[in-house]
Amino acid sequence: MKNFLLVLLFAWLVACSEKTQETQSEAYIPELVITDSLVIDRLTKPNLIDVREEGSEYLFFDFQTDELLRVSATGETLASANRSEDGKDSFKTRYFSTADYSGEDEIFITTHAGAFMYDPY
């Protein structure tokens, strides 16, 4: 009986003793994979401003040349326009608040001087 109690006490101590923390296996690190990219044939680095809802066309602005660019999904430049210079169809400033596609056939640009709608074609 005495041996039984000692074995029971030893088993209880082993079961209730503080366990060492198990080493975790390597944490799952998701792999970053580029699924799509757009290559534009320009020497400068234009900034993305807006995307058409269907993803068929992108609107970029090049701050070095002050040009608005319409780029197809394949990277082809469809049209470029410098609207910051003086002249017809100009918003006469280099800075604007927003520029995005508005509907199917207009680009909406907001500046400190006002709001302008342009036909991108």
Side-chain angles (χ1 to χ4, degrees):
M1 181 73 175
K2 194 175 190 183
N3 288 339
F4 178 73
L5 286 176
L6 284 175
V7 170
L8 187 60
L9 179 63
F10 180 74
W12 181 75
L13 285 173
V14 169
C16 295
S17 66
E18 198 173 304
K19 292 183 180 180
T20 60
Q21 289 194 358
E22 298 175 8
T23 58
Q24 292 182 348
S25 61
E26 285 187 33
Y28 172 71
I29 300 173
E31 184 179 345
L32 180 61
V33 178
I34 296 175
T35 58
D36 200 1
S37 63
L38 182 66
V39 178
I40 302 171
D41 187 21
R42 288 189 65 90
L43 294 176
T44 59
K45 184 178 176 185
N47 295 329
L48 179 65
I49 296 176
D50 196 22
V51 179
R52 283 206 186 270
E53 285 186 22
E54 67 275 2
S56 63
E57 193 174 301
Y58 301 89
L59 184 63
F60 284 88
F61 187 75
D62 190 338
F63 286 97
Q64 291 179 338
T65 60
D66 294 331
E67 288 181 312
L68 281 168
L69 303 168
R70 288 180 43 240
V71 178
S72 70
T74 60
E76 177 187 352
T77 302
L78 301 173
S80 65
N82 188 342
R83 301 289 186 200
S84 64
E85 296 176 340
D86 287 338
K88 184 180 179 215
D89 295 332
S90 173
F91 50 85
K92 294 182 179 61
T93 182
R94 182 175 181 190
Y95 305 103
F96 56 88
S97 302
T98 61
D100 52 11
Y101 289 108
S102 176
E104 283 295 316
D105 55 355
E106 293 178 326
I107 295 176
F108 181 71
I109 299 174
T110 306
T111 69
H112 69 280
F116 303 90
M117 293 291 264
Y118 291 101
D119 180 3
Y121 306 101

